[in-house]
Every structure is written in C-alpha cells, then in structure tokens.
Amino acid sequence: MRIGSSIALIAIGAILAFALAPGLIPFVDQVLIGYILMAVGVLGLIISIIMAGRTRRTDHIVERRDAPETIIDRRPRPEV
C-alpha cells in the first residue's frame, strides 16, 4: 500500500462515516466500516512513510585491499 492508496482509503472511510446518511446501505453499519477504512488508511500511511524513509538511505562503502590501486566502490544504483 502506498501513500496515495492510504489517502484514498482515509477519504472513502470519511465519506462513509460522516457524509452519507445512516442507513443508506441496508444491513451494513456504514459508520463502522468508515472508521475501519480510516484506521487502515492511517496505518498504511504511517507504514508507507516509514518504508519510504528507509529506502532513501545511501550506502557508500569503499574497501581498500593490499595495493592502493585496487579500490572497490560499492554504491547502489540510483532508483528511478
């Protein structure tokens, strides 16, 4: 789940919980479903932000072996 889909779940949940008239959908508690969708959206948003912060770290490791001419440079490829 990405940031956009999390925001969409929050918006759909808010519409179900606050904007629609209660009892519009028979045999379904749409307010409860709206709260559940908003909670899942907020949880997904938090996880997405944490995961986005972890993937932006760069790793610059330079190893030197016996001779100074042999330098191994390990850098991740830039993400597109």
Side-chain angles (χ1 to χ4, degrees):
M1 184 181 310
R2 302 245 180 189
I3 294 174
S5 58
S6 298
I7 292 173
L9 279 178
I10 294 170
I12 292 169
I15 289 170
L16 282 174
F18 306 123
L20 295 179
L24 186 64
I25 305 169
F27 305 111
V28 174
D29 188 5
Q30 66 195 34
V31 176
L32 179 63
I33 292 175
Y35 286 138
I36 291 171
L37 286 176
M38 286 191 295
V40 169
V42 168
L43 184 65
L45 184 64
I46 291 170
I47 291 172
S48 297
I49 290 172
I50 290 171
M51 294 301 287
R54 292 181 68 195
T55 58
R56 291 192 179 147
R57 292 182 185 167
T58 58
D59 188 20
H60 298 288
I61 299 173
V62 177
E63 292 182 11
R64 293 185 180 211
R65 298 204 177 170
D66 296 334
E69 294 85 24
T70 57
I71 298 175
I72 301 171
D73 189 8
R74 295 184 186 159
R75 293 184 187 165
R77 286 190 268 165
E79 296 180 17
V80 178

